[in-house]
Amino acid sequence: MEISLPFDIVSFSEKETQDCGRSLSLLLGAGSVVALRGGLGAGKTCFTKGVAAGFDVAGTVTSPTYTIISEYEGKWPDGRKTLLYHIDAYRLNGDDDFAALGAEEFLYGDGVAVIEWSERIPASIPKDAVFVDIEAMENGGRRISGRRLADTAKP
């Protein structure tokens, strides 16, 4: 699967959702932030597994609901090492909680950050982040839409 920003696709399997995340990883660079939004069970962690696969992350990627932040070693396509930060803001009570964790440092480094429940920390999300909305559909599919703020007037 090849994508470009903005995108709007429908996935009918975990593999397709992961493939979308893997394709997005090819568009990311150092310091990129992916802000995921979607309800419980929408497929945010599945999508993140695809991003991790795109960075050749070894090991199992799981939801960091209780740990809040998981860090994985990965590689850029040219073989250089990078870090993938998987952040889950579900248990946070807003931007102040996020700042108190010192989590903002993960958004401005050389790695890539993927944030689940990003709508819970709106002021912390960089303006150049890629916003990905995942919505469960009645037919069992997932509508996955991605864009930067510059792509639309609506965040």
Side-chain angles (χ1 to χ4, degrees), residues 60-83:
T60 304
V61 173
T62 59
S63 178
T65 300
Y66 296 101
T67 57
I68 313 260
I69 302 169
S70 294
E71 182 177 309
Y72 301 96
E73 288 188 17
K75 293 184 251 178
W76 294 107
D78 66 6
R80 290 178 297 127
K81 290 184 180 182
T82 191
L83 293 174

Side-chain angles (χ1 to χ4, degrees), residues 59-135:
T60 304
V61 173
T62 59
S63 178
T65 300
Y66 296 101
T67 57
I68 313 260
I69 302 169
S70 294
E71 182 177 309
Y72 301 96
E73 288 188 17
K75 293 184 251 178
W76 294 107
D78 66 6
R80 290 178 297 127
K81 290 184 180 182
T82 191
L83 293 174
L84 175 67
Y85 303 106
H86 185 190
I87 302 168
D88 189 324
Y90 184 77
R91 296 192 173 279
L92 301 180
N93 290 317
D95 293 290
D96 290 341
D97 277 3
F98 190 70
L101 286 173
E104 289 177 330
E105 75 180 72
F106 298 109
L107 306 185
Y108 300 101
D110 293 332
V112 171
V114 178
I115 305 172
E116 295 190 30
W117 299 98
S118 63
E119 64 272 22
R120 298 185 60 82
I121 53 169
S124 299
I125 305 301
K127 299 298 181 209
D128 63 346
V130 176
F131 289 85
V132 176
D133 294 299
I134 306 174
E135 178 186 359

